[in-house]
Amino acid sequence: MRLIFIRHGDPNYQLDTLTERGWKEAEALFERVKKWKVDEFYVSPLGRARDTANVSLEKLNRSAETLDWLKEFFVPVVDPVTGDRRIAWDLMPAYWTEKCELYERDLWLKSDIMQSGNVEEEYRRVCDSFDGLLLKHGYRRTGGYYKAEKGNNKTLVFFCHLGVQFVLLSHLFGVTAPVMWQNFFVAPTSVTELVTEEREKGIAVFRCKRIGDVSHLEAAGIEPSDSGFFNEVY
């Protein structure tokens, strides 16, 4: 099975849609999507993801199933320095790099900062929902791998967001979400591709072939957006 995660185009967060640049990115993305043999499309309920998806879906005369748990992982926690509320995946490096538990797969959800919000509950809800979807397609979560009950070569495409995409990747890779959130970046309309690898009969893991690929933008002469990346230099 192949899983393809696509981040929405350059966003207008205020209106929950795309900027002029974002619409151009979505058009360039279609030139890539149309080459895939996609079995199922899934999309976040948020406007910026739906708008990105619709550019391709309308041209292909296809539809996507809207999944509530694919919306952005907007779960606030209490900033230990300022006492203010902030998104769980927007932490300052002087803090999170000193917290060893945030690097530990079995400890990060129990850390003080994650317990200051409902991160654990929401993380498990998203991951359980995702596993439920994969089960429908023949792959049952068993410990850290998937039992290939009905192994197949289907392609599933997910139009979603940076934060929730890294939640799902952390679940599939068996690493902490903070490691994904803080150390990786995927630009608007970037493509991340995972494919099942079965080296033992009936046992499947998802292996990443590409992450944050923006070759369709480069081919169209569009400079990838840095939305969500902090470029400040002091």
Side-chain angles (χ1 to χ4, degrees):
M1 175 180 282
R2 177 167 68 151
L3 308 179
I4 296 176
F5 297 95
I6 300 173
R7 187 185 172 195
H8 57 74
D10 190 58
N12 179 327
Y13 286 117
Q14 183 176 3
L15 299 178
D16 191 23
T17 184
L18 304 180
T19 63
E20 181 179 351
R21 177 180 189 167
W23 288 110
K24 292 178 180 178
E25 292 173 345
E27 290 288 346
L29 174 66
F30 166 68
E31 296 302 316
R32 188 170 191 174
V33 176
K34 71 179 183 181
K35 300 175 183 178
W36 300 335
K37 185 179 182 299
V38 179
D39 293 277
E40 300 289 345
F41 288 98
Y42 300 99
V43 65
S44 155
L46 299 185
R48 53 194 182 273
R50 289 189 290 105
D51 287 343
T52 304
N54 285 339
V55 170
S56 292
L57 294 173
E58 290 176 2
K59 293 177 183 290
L60 294 171
N61 195 28
R62 295 286 300 272
S63 61
E65 181 179 350
T66 300
L67 300 174
D68 177 72
W69 50 268
L70 266 186
K71 66 186 178 185
E72 185 55 291
F73 195 78
F74 191 80
V75 183
V77 295
V78 177
D79 188 311
V81 178
T82 67
D84 297 329
R85 306 285 282 179
R86 68 183 310 124
I87 303 172
W89 42 270
D90 183 22
L91 305 179
M92 294 297 104
Y95 172 80
W96 68 262
T97 58
E98 294 300 314
K99 298 298 180 180
C100 295
E101 62 269 27
L102 296 181
Y103 292 89
E104 295 289 339
R105 183 183 65 177
D106 298 325
L107 297 179
W108 75 274
L109 283 169
K110 300 298 185 182
S111 64
D112 290 342
I113 190 167
M114 297 303 165
Q115 287 291 309
S116 70
N118 63 333
V119 176
E120 182 174 12
E121 177 183 350
E122 283 301 299
Y123 181 85
R124 299 199 188 285
R125 183 182 75 87
V126 170
C127 294
D128 288 346
S129 298
F130 181 61
D131 283 342
L133 178 65
L134 293 184
L135 179 58
K136 291 180 181 179
H137 290 285
Y139 292 85
R140 181 185 297 275
R141 182 81 175 195
T142 303
Y145 64 84
Y146 289 83
K147 184 178 180 181
E149 295 183 340
K150 296 180 181 178
N152 58 74
N153 293 316
K154 291 181 180 179
T155 294
L156 311 183
V157 174
F158 301 82
F159 287 90
C160 54
H161 312 264
L162 182 151
V164 72
Q165 179 175 322
F166 285 150
V167 163
L168 296 174
L169 294 186
S170 75
H171 179 58
L172 291 171
F173 297 159
V175 300
T176 77
V179 167
M180 300 300 303
W181 287 332
Q182 307 295 344
N183 293 113
F184 291 84
F185 175 72
V186 288
T189 71
S190 63
V191 173
T192 296
E193 177 185 5
L194 283 69
V195 179
T196 49
E197 187 174 65
E198 300 181 35
R199 302 187 67 186
E200 299 173 89
K201 186 177 181 179
I203 295 178
V205 294
F206 286 91
R207 193 167 183 182
C208 187
K209 282 196 166 183
R210 70 194 78 228
I211 185 168
D213 189 304
V214 290
S215 55
H216 57 283
L217 298 181
E218 295 167 352
I222 301 173
E223 183 71 20
S225 169
D226 270 348
S227 177
F229 191 93
F230 300 95
N231 292 305
E232 297 91 345
V233 176
Y234 296 96

